[in-house]
Amino acid sequence: MESKKIGIVGSGLIGRSWAMLFTSVGYHVAIYDVTIDQVTSSLAEVLKQLQELEASGMLRGTDDAQTQHNRLTGTATLKECVCDAMFVQECIPENLDLKIKLFAELDKLVGENTILSSSTSCIMPSKFTEPLVHRENCIVSHPVNPPYFVPLVEVVPAPWTSASTVSRTKELMTELGQEPVVFSKELPGFGLNRIQYVILNECYHLVQDGVLSARDVDKLMSCGLGPRYTWMGPLETAHLNADGLGSYIERYGPTIMDVSSTMKGNADWSLPAANDLVQQCNDMIPIDRLEARRVWRDERLTAFAALRTQMKRK
Ligand code: NAI
């Protein structure tokens, strides 16, 4: 029988979120970080969050918070964390050198059946898995923050990742209640961040060129494109906005190409070039109010996740 153990390496924001998802459906999770103090405080933070979710009726899975938390163990060594695990989820900082070093260590510690998965947001898996003995078992499972409420996972194989690693990862993500999308090949930034960066570039130009304020650019999304894309993507939206996508292209294709030819593309995402944009965002939400605003955002994402679940049943 396949092991029901999951190893999580890195117990920051994303590591803790994965731990909560895996324990919610019955997996035993071992979690490791560079210091045991970090592991201990992460275990306490997870328990607090599970209890809060239970109190607000948003706990996932069928077991209570304490039962789910009992499936989570802190470990003092990497070996203990990944030994006999069926799946290891790496959640260390977004730094290529760190990922290269860690995957080389993991490669020596795991057997043939362990999948080595990275949470990286943008780094292609070929960049940190090429020389490994177990490179067929390496893959990216990129979650979207906060993963407990946002279901997408980008499943991105390296050129040498085996088909069975891809299918087992997809099945596991589905079992967690997430929504995996599987890439046929790797690309920098995968899919979500490539689209996000196109949007950010255009927002940058609209603000820096003085066409719109930062507040109004955000309103284009939160009051316009955001609600439109809540339940379906841009392609289905276009498909419905005419008599199918073919008719949309006949009607609007030339306009898309005309407008697109005026776009400036890549912006200068460095400082001080982007100072005006930064200043406007700081005026909108002062830095000392960011934490309160994150709480505000998470409350709304939580309510939205509940609505999504309710609507899915219909
Ligand atoms: P974080 O900074 O909150 O946590 C990283 C944790 O890794 C820290 O606890 C740190 O002590 C630990 N760590 C560092 N080196 C380690 C090592 N060699 N072995 C074990 N633990 C180590 O970072 P966060 O936000 O959790 O991000 C983790 C990964 O997830 C990154 O690759 C990031 O790009 C990706 N990600 C982050 C998202 C976000 O919104 N924060 C969303 C999706 C993916």
Side-chain angles (χ1 to χ4, degrees):
M1 204 182 96
E2 196 170 32
S3 139
K4 285 282 276 181
K5 176 181 168 183
I6 305 291
I8 291 186
V9 184
S11 67
L13 183 67
I14 293 301
R16 294 194 302 271
S17 302
W18 279 118
M20 289 161 63
L21 292 176
F22 281 110
T23 54
S24 74
V25 294
Y27 285 97
H28 290 274
V29 173
I31 194 159
Y32 169 76
D33 206 297
V34 280
T35 68
I36 195 68
D37 286 351
Q38 173 67 35
V39 175
T40 308
S41 69
S42 295
L43 292 185
E45 175 61 27
V46 169
L47 181 59
K48 182 171 154 265
Q49 279 189 35
L50 290 174
Q51 287 169 337
E52 284 169 7
L53 289 162
E54 187 169 52
S56 63
M58 290 301 295
L59 188 69
R60 289 168 69 150
T62 49
D63 297 313
D64 63 34
Q66 189 62 59
T67 305
Q68 294 190 24
H69 193 262
N70 291 346
R71 299 190 184 113
L72 183 57
T73 315
T75 62
T77 65
L78 185 61
K79 186 175 178 185
E80 206 186 327
C81 172
V82 304
C83 176
D84 294 330
M86 57 173 277
F87 188 90
V88 172
Q89 184 70 26
E90 167 273 306
C91 310
I92 68 170
E94 189 77 345
N95 174 304
L96 179 57
D97 290 339
L98 285 181
K99 307 242 188 224
I100 290 173
K101 197 161 166 281
L102 177 66
F103 271 76
E105 286 177 51
L106 290 171
D107 193 37
K108 293 190 196 121
L109 293 173
V110 296
E112 282 179 7
N113 289 324
T114 305
I115 292 178
L116 297 177
S117 169
S118 172
S119 299
T120 177
S121 310
C122 282
I123 308 173
M124 294 191 294
S126 60
K127 300 275 183 204
F128 53 90
T129 63
E130 184 167 13
L132 306 185
V133 174
H134 297 105
R135 64 183 196 166
E136 281 197 352
N137 297 348
C138 293
I139 196 156
V140 164
S141 307
H142 169 228
V144 184
N145 194 38
Y148 207 80
F149 300 113
V150 182
L152 183 77
V153 179
E154 293 185 301
V155 175
V156 186
W160 37 81
T161 305
S162 70
S164 104
T165 299
V166 174
S167 60
R168 282 167 64 205
T169 303
K170 183 182 176 195
E171 276 165 30
L172 186 59
M173 294 301 136
T174 306
E175 188 188 348
L176 296 184
Q178 301 301 92
E179 298 277 354
V181 294
V182 176
F183 286 64
S184 65
K185 62 175 188 176
E186 58 175 18
L187 277 175
F190 318 135
L192 183 139
N193 276 321
R194 291 179 79 87
I195 294 174
Q196 177 162 250
Y197 296 161
V198 170
I199 293 172
L200 279 173
N201 277 318
E202 197 49 36
C203 292
Y204 180 113
H205 293 305
L206 287 169
V207 175
Q208 290 281 119
D209 293 351
V211 180
L212 284 173
S213 66
R215 193 178 287 280
D216 283 347
V217 161
D218 267 5
K219 206 181 255 188
L220 294 184
M221 293 300 295
S222 62
C223 299
L225 284 176
R228 178 183 257 193
Y229 292 161
T230 301
W231 301 105
M232 66 180 70
L235 295 175
E236 189 180 345
T237 299
H239 194 55
L240 297 187
N241 277 355
D243 297 322
L245 190 67
S247 119
Y248 184 90
I249 290 171
E250 277 169 4
R251 281 190 224 175
Y252 304 114
T255 309
I256 296 176
M257 289 196 285
D258 280 351
V259 173
S260 301
S261 72
T262 68
M263 286 180 176
K264 290 182 169 177
N266 293 346
D268 182 354
W269 288 97
S270 67
L271 297 174
N275 271 353
D276 188 26
L277 184 58
V278 172
Q279 189 54 50
Q280 288 199 38
C281 287
N282 289 346
D283 290 345
M284 196 160 63
I285 314 283
I287 299 293
D288 62 0
R289 281 189 25 225
L290 287 180
E291 195 45 43
R293 188 70 172 170
R294 285 189 195 109
V295 171
W296 180 92
R297 173 199 66 189
D298 288 349
E299 277 171 9
R300 274 147 191 81
L301 284 173
T302 308
F304 178 64
L307 178 64
R308 220 185 146 91
T309 308
Q310 190 189 324
M311 301 283 287
K312 249 180 160 176
R313 291 197 204 104
K314 290 187 181 165

